[in-house]
Amino acid sequence: MLCANRVSVLLSVLLGFATANANADYHIVKSIQVGGAGGWDYLEADPIGRRLYVSHENHVVVIDMDTLKVVGDVPNSPGMGGVALSRELNRGFTANGDEDAVGVFELSTLEPIAKWKATGRRPNQIAYEPMTQRVFSFNSTGRNITVFDGKTGNVLSTLEVDGRTEFYAMDGKGMIYDSLQDKATIIAIDAKMMKVVATYPLAPHTQPAGTTMDPQTRRIFVACRSKSFLILDADTGKILATFPIGERNDAAKFDPGTRLAFASNGDGTLAVVHEDSPDQFTLAQTVKTEYGARTMAVDTKTHRVFMPSADWGPAPTPRSDNPNPRRPMVPGSFRVLVLEP
C-alpha cells in the first residue's frame, strides 16, 4: 500500500505540473514609444546581445531588451521586411523589398556594410543558416529564394519555388522550412545542398504565414490565415494537431524554455499553445492585444513577447476599385508592446 500511495502521489504531482505548464497568463505590461512615420513588418530578438531589431518603414529601430529603451537605428533599408542576425560574423541582414536587395550591417556598431542584389523581386523574409553560414533571401513576388555566402555576399544559388514565400523555421542543423502562402504548402530546404527536398501540403488549411519550430522535438508550428494553428512533424509533414486562432496572422514564435508557441494576429489576438509532449498540445491562452499587432518576437531569456503596434483612424469609404480599404495609421503613434506571463 505504501508503494501504491507513493505512485499515486507522484502521478498527481506530475499531472499537476503538466497542467500548470499548459496554462499561460500573458498580458501587456508596457508600451515602448517609438514614434516616427510609416508602418512596420518583422522584428528579430537577440537574446545574447540583448537587442531587439524592429523593421520600421525604411530603417531598423534597435531596442535594449533590458532597459526597454530605443538605443540605435539602422538606416537606408527601403521596403523593410525581415531581419536576420549572425553573431559569429558580427553581421545583421535586412530584406529590402523596395530595391530587391539584402542590406548588410555590423551588429556591434549598426553601421551599414554592403548591399547584395537578390535574384528575385521583393525580398520579404531573410534567414541566416548557421551550419552553412549562408543567407537565404525569400523573394516573395519573385517566387524564388536567393542563397548568398554570408561572408562574401557571392550568390551561390537561386531556388525556384513557384510560390509566394512567407516566414520560415530552422532546425539549426541545416534544414529550413518555409511557408508558400498561395500554395498552402511547407517546403523543406536542405541548406547545404541548396535544394528543396520535400513539400508538405496543408489542405484544407490555406494561406500559411507565421512559421516556427521546436528543433528538439522536430515539430513545426504553422499559423494560417484560414484562422488555424497547425503542428507538423518536420520529417514527415504529418499534421499532428490544429487549433483555432484569430484573423490576419503574420507571425509565429516558439520559446523552448516555456515550451510555448505563439501566433500573433492582426485582429488584436495572440494565440498561445503549450507543447505538452512531442505529440500532445494544449491551447493555453488567447491574449487580447491591439488591433494591427500582427508580428512579434520572443526574448527566450526573460520570456517576454514584443509586438509592434500603433493607433489607427477610421477606414476610408469603400470603392469599387478598393472594396476593403485599410485603416490609416496615426502618424507618430508607432510603439512596441511588451507582454509578460
Side-chain angles (χ1 to χ4, degrees):
M1 287 296 295
L2 183 60
C3 289
N5 286 339
R6 284 179 175 173
V7 170
S8 178
V9 169
L10 179 60
L11 285 173
S12 297
V13 170
L14 291 175
L15 286 172
F17 180 72
T19 301
N21 271 348
N23 293 327
D25 188 26
Y26 273 85
H27 55 284
I28 299 171
V29 297
K30 185 178 176 61
S31 178
I32 305 169
Q33 297 301 314
V34 178
W40 68 88
D41 209 344
Y42 296 95
L43 56 164
E44 189 71 20
D46 178 1
I48 298 174
R50 309 305 302 143
R51 284 175 166 180
L52 178 70
Y53 297 82
V54 185
S55 67
H56 185 202
E57 195 64 12
N58 294 327
H59 60 110
V60 182
V61 176
V62 184
I63 294 173
D64 185 304
M65 291 198 296
D66 294 319
T67 66
L68 303 181
K69 296 183 181 300
V70 175
V71 294
D73 189 273
V74 180
N76 195 20
S77 304
M80 260 300 300
V83 183
L85 310 173
S86 169
R87 294 194 60 79
E88 60 197 309
L89 300 181
N90 189 31
R91 286 183 172 182
F93 306 93
T94 61
N96 300 350
D98 283 356
E99 56 186 9
D100 300 335
V102 170
V104 187
F105 66 93
E106 191 174 62
L107 285 183
S108 55
T109 64
L110 305 181
E111 290 295 321
I113 297 173
K115 287 190 177 180
W116 301 340
K117 193 67 175 178
T119 56
R121 293 181 57 199
R122 199 77 196 174
N124 187 36
Q125 313 294 346
I126 187 119
Y128 173 76
E129 202 292 307
M131 294 294 291
T132 59
Q133 294 190 335
R134 291 170 177 167
V135 175
F136 289 72
S137 169
F138 298 89
N139 309 316
S140 58
T141 59
R143 305 175 77 81
N144 64 10
I145 302 167
T146 309
V147 186
F148 297 94
D149 183 304
K151 293 180 179 179
T152 67
N154 292 337
V155 174
L156 303 177
S157 182
T158 298
L159 310 184
E160 301 295 340
V161 296
D162 189 30
R164 186 179 178 87
T165 55
E166 263 291 340
F167 216 83
Y168 62 88
M170 294 191 295
D171 68 357
K173 298 179 180 179
M175 289 299 298
I176 303 174
Y177 303 88
D178 187 59
S179 295
L180 297 185
Q181 189 178 95
D182 56 346
K183 298 291 186 178
T185 58
I186 296 290
I187 55 173
I189 303 166
D190 186 310
K192 185 176 181 180
M193 296 172 61
M194 295 182 289
K195 180 181 179 181
V196 176
V197 295
T199 300
Y200 303 147
L202 303 178
H205 311 283
T206 60
Q207 294 188 292
T211 310
T212 189
M213 184 176 186
D214 179 355
Q216 182 178 349
T217 61
R218 301 198 58 74
R219 297 298 181 250
I220 303 172
F221 298 82
V222 184
C224 298
R225 290 178 184 166
S226 55
K227 299 194 292 185
S228 48
F229 201 14
L230 316 179
I231 298 94
L232 280 67
D233 183 312
D235 300 312
T236 67
K238 180 181 178 181
I239 299 176
L240 304 173
T242 305
F243 295 96
I245 60 172
E247 297 180 341
R248 303 195 309 281
N249 173 270
D250 211 15
K253 295 293 179 182
F254 181 77
D255 185 344
T258 59
R259 312 206 69 74
L260 292 174
F262 305 86
S264 53
N265 312 301
D267 65 354
T269 60
L270 175 71
V272 186
V273 168
H274 184 262
E275 184 182 41
D276 307 331
S277 74
D279 297 311
Q280 295 291 329
F281 309 88
T282 303
L283 182 61
Q285 188 184 6
T286 298
V287 187
K288 180 176 173 52
T289 57
E290 290 184 358
Y291 175 86
R294 56 186 173 77
T295 57
M296 60 178 295
V298 173
D299 178 3
T300 55
K301 178 181 177 181
T302 64
H303 311 297
R304 284 172 169 160
V305 173
F306 297 93
M307 304 181 72
S309 185
D311 294 330
W312 303 89
T317 302
R319 302 192 311 263
S320 58
D321 60 339
N322 187 15
N324 298 298
R326 292 185 177 184
R327 294 169 59 182
M329 177 180 162
V330 176
S333 68
F334 181 61
R335 56 185 174 266
V336 176
L337 306 177
V338 183
L339 288 78
E340 293 181 354

